[in-house]
């Protein structure tokens, strides 16, 4: 959810957009920079994933061909402190899946 991180991801994606190899990106959380338990926490996380989806969508080849693995971090909600981590709930990242 930090603009600086999205800016750096954009540079990484730019580098891979025209490669002949189909990349696999493993993005490791925390996907929000603070632990979110407040009432609007769900909206904060969905907004962060929407920004990520918009960034990915701005690279047509990557959005169509690349694979993305999202690994939740310890501060991501509903993940708990157990290992291995559960997957990111679909309602948070639905915009990326479509």
């Amino acid at each position: 959810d930090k603009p600086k991180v999205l800016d750096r991801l954009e540079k990484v994606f730019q580098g891979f957009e025209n490669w002949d190899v189909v990349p696999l990106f493993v993005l490791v959380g925390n996907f929000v920079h603070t632990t979110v338990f407040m009432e609007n926490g769900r909206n904060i996380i969905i907004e962060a994933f929407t920004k990520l989806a918009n960034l990915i969508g701005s690279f047509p080849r990557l959005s169509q061909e690349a694979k993305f693995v999202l690994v939740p971090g310890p501060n991501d909600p509903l993940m708990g402190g157990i290992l291995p981590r559960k997957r990111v709930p679909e309602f948070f990242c639905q915009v990326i899946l479509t």
Side-chain angles (χ1 to χ4, degrees):
D1 65 337
K2 291 185 176 182
K4 186 177 183 177
V5 174
L6 290 173
D7 289 342
R8 290 181 179 165
L9 270 176
E10 181 176 19
K11 289 178 183 174
V12 170
F13 294 161
Q14 284 172 345
F16 282 95
E17 177 68 7
N18 294 315
W19 273 32
D20 293 336
V21 178
V22 177
L24 167 69
F25 296 101
V26 179
L27 305 178
V28 180
N30 298 315
F31 291 105
V32 291
H33 71 279
T34 59
T35 304
V36 181
F37 292 108
M38 62 197 107
E39 186 175 312
N40 67 339
R42 178 179 171 153
N43 293 337
I44 290 170
I45 295 165
I46 291 171
E47 181 180 328
F49 279 117
T50 299
K51 288 179 182 178
L52 177 60
N54 290 337
L55 177 61
I56 293 169
S58 69
F59 297 93
R61 183 181 155 289
L62 293 181
S63 65
Q64 293 296 315
E65 298 177 15
K67 304 295 181 201
F68 294 85
V69 176
L70 306 177
V71 180
N75 289 338
D76 291 324
L78 303 176
M79 303 303 142
I82 60 170
L83 295 174
R85 299 254 185 249
K86 292 182 178 181
R87 61 188 272 178
V88 174
E90 284 187 25
F91 62 84
F92 286 142
C93 57
Q94 186 63 38
V95 68
I96 294 175
L97 300 173
T98 57

